[in-house]
Amino acid sequence: MKKVLIVGLGLIGGSILKGLQTQFDTIYGLDRDEQIMKTCYDAGLIKNKSFSLDYLKESDIVFVCLYPEAAIEFIREEQVHFKSGAIVTDVVGLKVAIMDEIRNFIREDVYFIGGHPMAGREGRGFAVSSEEIFRNANYLLVVEENTPYGCVNTLEKIIIKLGCKRIEVMDAKSHDDIIAYTSHMPHILSTVFMSCDRFDNTKYCVAGSFKDMTRVSDINAQLWSELILDNKDPVLNEIKRFKEALDNIEQFIESEDVHKVVEFLEGARIKKVNLGIL
Amino acid sequence: MKKVLIVGLGLIGGSILKGLQTQFDTIYGLDRDEQIMKTCYDAGLIKNKSFSLDYLKESDIVFVCLYPEAAIEFIREEQVHFKSGAIVTDVVGLKVAIMDEIRNFIREDVYFIGGHPMAGREGRGFAVSSEEIFRNANYLLVVEENTPYGCVNTLEKIIIKLGCKRIEVMDAKSHDDIIAYTSHMPHILSTVFMSCDRFDNTKYCVAGSFKDMTRVSDINAQLWSELILDNKDPVLNEIKRFKEALDNIEQFIESEDVHKVVEFLEGARIKKVNLGIL
């Protein structure tokens, strides 16, 4: 029976911890916050009572659920303690930078697979963590050319049992390109749209479309600034593409070309419908 | 006890019909579809068995729930049958054009108040109508300088009992300006964003922000083309403002100005939070 270690028991780490309870007999957890460790130990969620890197030596699978720089530093500094053959994964939302760094120093007998759970919820930290965030969520895995197939397979099985609907496996560049579109752009467009509000009574003149468009503009500005700037080129490319499309419909409206406007909207509708029920 | 007539028993008309049942003993309904009238009569939702304009003569309040041109034509052609002192309202999503037309021909002893329920749901027609669409919805009323206060008050009371959360009363120009921002722009931005999709596996790489951003891009292209083009100038003004704001954040990202990006996102967040829970 494999043993699992989760490093960092915040929203994502805590949620993975809770979601893995039925899969593994032995789950260790490490967090700098002693109170969180005590809470987890008292609740029977983790087997270790105290913070010790010795648990790394026993663990077959390690989820590093830290912010980007901290994740890289933890793996760099503590990899000497990893068990030979261990699978190590992270939860960082951008992959080129982290994979580039880790590739340079990772031990040959330790297998790093990038992870990106497309899951979250409002609030922060262990207090709001819940295995429910993975229900029907997508989970992206980012591999190198030489990542052993068996390691990917092992991790996939664990993630599916977390409740995730679908796992996509890709390389780091593809990951960052598509995330610029599917995640960074919605946050940028939502905040740009919200920033344009100039009416006194906006809140009394809205329906569902406005609520949907502005939901994520209640944003963690520091975190998202870093994510966007760390993915600068793919994001700028998406902004450029968006502006071209917006220019098109603006031109159709300007020239009152109803046929072109209908065609534009209908084209978007078909793309949306072809995505299936999201 | 006042009598109510609903003209056009589609999604909105049908929903109003269902929502008014506990408020009025006598509700008439008219629809060109005989089967819908039979369904409503058999269910006890309307008092009249057949289609007849005679019911206009008895009705104190008339909801005209037709598409724009049809609504104007109905009021123009049939106003000879309205009861003196009747309050007539519509559900058209744009107000300058319809108010301009109706002002020119409406009888002096009939009071037209523009109505815009900010409510809807997916699907079309009576089959999907439900009083639930008004729960916590906003409802806009559009008045003229000389609209009698008592008529507005009467209509407001009826609408609040429908389950609406809030009624905003305004003039037609203000209505069309704010709707360009709160309703037309979310639909334009959502479809523009959706039109930019170029990946094969988009649906497996999305989370909540993408779903929110694209929900309304499953759009009725014909209807929304008309709404957007009929509100051309306010919409073009909003697109211009949006493009300026998008240019700003693009510039901050281009120059890797993290302070400016944070400031931009935080500004949007504060605007969103100040709107309160939507």
Side-chain angles (χ1 to χ4, degrees):
Chain A
M1 190 68 178
K2 287 183 163 46
K3 294 180 180 176
V4 177
L5 169 65
I6 297 163
V7 182
L9 301 172
L11 167 57
I12 299 293
S15 298
I16 291 172
L17 173 65
K18 292 170 181 174
L20 293 181
Q21 292 298 316
T22 55
Q23 274 194 67
F24 295 95
D25 291 331
T26 305
I27 306 180
Y28 302 122
L30 297 178
D31 198 283
R32 291 188 187 284
D33 185 328
E34 284 177 22
Q35 188 53 51
I36 288 174
M37 293 207 44
K38 183 175 185 324
T39 301
C40 290
Y41 180 77
D42 290 348
L45 293 169
I46 59 175
K47 281 278 185 294
N48 57 308
K49 196 163 183 175
S50 61
F51 188 104
S52 163
L53 296 168
D54 288 344
Y55 298 107
L56 279 174
K57 298 192 176 79
E58 291 183 44
S59 299
D60 304 284
I61 295 143
V62 181
F63 284 89
V64 181
C65 304
L66 302 172
Y67 281 111
E69 288 307 315
I72 293 168
E73 282 319 297
F74 180 86
I75 297 169
R76 191 200 310 270
E77 299 299 320
E78 313 304 348
Q79 67 168 337
V80 59
H81 303 294
F82 285 151
K83 182 175 177 177
S84 186
I87 298 171
V88 180
T89 188
D90 71 324
V91 296
V92 171
L94 282 173
K95 290 301 180 214
V96 168
I98 198 167
M99 302 292 282
D100 281 353
E101 286 224 47
I102 288 173
R103 188 185 305 123
N104 285 333
F105 66 69
I106 193 82
R107 274 169 46 190
E108 276 193 18
D109 61 337
V110 166
Y111 304 105
F112 182 78
I113 297 173
H116 182 184
M118 304 286 289
R121 60 167 22 175
E122 279 150 65
R124 301 171 80 160
F126 181 79
V128 296
S129 66
S130 165
E131 64 272 40
E132 287 299 316
I133 69 171
F134 300 117
R135 191 159 319 284
N136 290 320
N138 293 311
Y139 203 114
L140 311 183
L141 290 181
V142 176
V143 296
E144 306 276 12
E145 281 286 337
N146 62 355
T147 306
Y149 182 83
C151 294
V152 180
N153 198 244
T154 298
L155 197 52
E156 282 185 318
K157 283 180 182 160
I158 294 168
I159 290 163
I160 285 294
K161 284 194 195 157
L162 265 183
C164 290
K165 182 176 61 181
R166 168 91 184 200
I167 296 168
E168 264 312 86
V169 182
M170 60 188 76
D171 64 61
K173 172 75 164 62
S174 301
H175 173 276
D176 289 6
D177 282 348
I178 199 165
I179 288 301
Y181 174 64
T182 62
S183 173
H184 299 167
M185 279 300 281
H187 286 81
I188 290 169
L189 297 176
S190 179
T191 49
V192 169
F193 176 68
M194 191 68 251
S195 79
C196 292
D197 182 23
R198 68 184 186 285
F199 300 98
D200 292 331
N201 54 346
T202 299
K203 70 181 288 189
Y204 305 121
C205 301
V206 303
S209 65
F210 183 91
K211 295 176 197 175
D212 290 342
M213 184 62 45
T214 59
R215 187 181 63 85
V216 296
S217 63
D218 186 0
I219 200 165
N220 181 331
Q222 191 66 46
L223 172 66
W224 280 91
S225 295
E226 287 169 22
L227 287 170
I228 289 167
L229 288 171
D230 287 349
N231 205 25
K232 177 184 170 187
D233 291 338
V235 166
L236 288 176
N237 185 41
E238 293 303 326
I239 291 176
K240 181 167 163 287
R241 289 173 50 81
F242 182 90
K243 286 169 71 171
E244 287 166 2
L246 183 58
D247 285 346
N248 284 340
I249 194 168
E250 182 186 34
Q251 172 55 37
F252 303 150
I253 297 168
E254 180 72 50
S255 58
E256 298 180 28
D257 189 336
V258 63
H259 176 73
K260 286 280 194 188
V261 175
V262 170
E263 193 176 70
F264 186 95
L265 298 184
E266 184 62 14
R269 190 189 71 80
I270 288 167
K271 279 195 160 187
K272 165 69 175 168
V273 169
N274 285 344
L275 285 184
I277 308 281
L278 285 178
Chain B
M1 191 67 176
K2 287 182 163 45
K3 294 179 180 177
V4 177
L5 169 66
I6 297 164
V7 181
L9 301 171
L11 167 57
I12 299 293
S15 299
I16 291 172
L17 174 64
K18 292 170 181 174
L20 293 182
Q21 292 299 314
T22 55
Q23 273 195 67
F24 295 94
D25 290 332
T26 305
I27 306 180
Y28 302 121
L30 297 178
D31 197 282
R32 291 188 187 284
D33 185 329
E34 284 176 21
Q35 189 54 53
I36 288 174
M37 291 206 47
K38 184 175 182 330
T39 301
C40 290
Y41 180 77
D42 290 349
L45 293 169
I46 58 176
K47 282 279 185 294
N48 58 308
K49 195 163 184 175
S50 62
F51 188 105
S52 164
L53 295 169
D54 288 344
Y55 297 107
L56 280 174
K57 297 193 176 80
E58 292 182 45
S59 299
D60 305 284
I61 294 141
V62 181
F63 284 89
V64 180
C65 303
L66 302 172
Y67 281 112
E69 288 308 314
I72 292 168
E73 283 318 297
F74 180 85
I75 297 169
R76 192 200 310 269
E77 299 299 320
E78 313 303 350
Q79 66 168 336
V80 59
H81 302 294
F82 285 150
K83 182 174 176 176
S84 185
I87 298 170
V88 180
T89 187
D90 71 324
V91 297
V92 171
L94 282 173
K95 290 300 180 221
V96 168
I98 198 167
M99 302 291 283
D100 280 353
E101 288 225 46
I102 288 174
R103 187 184 306 123
N104 285 332
F105 64 69
I106 193 81
R107 273 168 49 190
E108 275 193 19
D109 61 336
V110 166
Y111 304 104
F112 181 78
I113 298 172
H116 183 183
M118 304 287 290
R121 60 169 17 174
E122 279 150 68
R124 300 170 82 159
F126 181 79
V128 297
S129 66
S130 165
E131 64 271 37
E132 287 299 316
I133 69 172
F134 300 116
R135 193 158 317 286
N136 290 321
N138 294 310
Y139 203 115
L140 311 184
L141 290 182
V142 175
V143 296
E144 306 277 12
E145 281 286 338
N146 62 353
T147 306
Y149 182 83
C151 294
V152 180
N153 197 245
T154 298
L155 196 52
E156 283 186 317
K157 283 183 184 158
I158 294 168
I159 290 163
I160 284 295
K161 284 194 195 156
L162 265 182
C164 291
K165 183 176 56 179
R166 168 92 184 198
I167 296 168
E168 267 307 269
V169 182
M170 59 188 75
D171 64 63
K173 171 74 165 61
S174 300
H175 173 276
D176 288 7
D177 282 348
I178 200 166
I179 288 301
Y181 174 64
T182 62
S183 173
H184 299 167
M185 280 301 281
H187 287 81
I188 290 169
L189 298 175
S190 178
T191 49
V192 169
F193 176 68
M194 191 69 250
S195 80
C196 292
D197 182 24
R198 69 184 186 285
F199 301 98
D200 292 333
N201 54 346
T202 300
K203 71 181 287 188
Y204 304 121
C205 302
V206 302
S209 65
F210 184 91
K211 295 176 197 176
D212 289 342
M213 185 62 44
T214 60
R215 188 181 62 86
V216 297
S217 63
D218 185 1
I219 200 165
N220 181 332
Q222 191 66 48
L223 172 66
W224 280 92
S225 296
E226 288 169 22
L227 287 171
I228 289 166
L229 288 170
D230 287 349
N231 204 26
K232 179 185 169 186
D233 291 337
V235 166
L236 287 176
N237 184 42
E238 292 303 325
I239 291 177
K240 180 167 164 287
R241 289 173 50 82
F242 182 90
K243 284 170 72 171
E244 287 167 2
L246 183 58
D247 285 346
N248 284 341
I249 194 168
E250 182 186 35
Q251 172 55 37
F252 303 150
I253 297 168
E254 180 72 51
S255 58
E256 299 181 28
D257 189 337
V258 63
H259 176 71
K260 287 280 194 188
V261 176
V262 171
E263 192 175 68
F264 185 94
L265 299 184
E266 183 64 13
R269 190 188 71 79
I270 288 168
K271 280 195 160 189
K272 165 71 173 165
V273 169
N274 284 345
L275 285 184
I277 309 280
L278 285 177

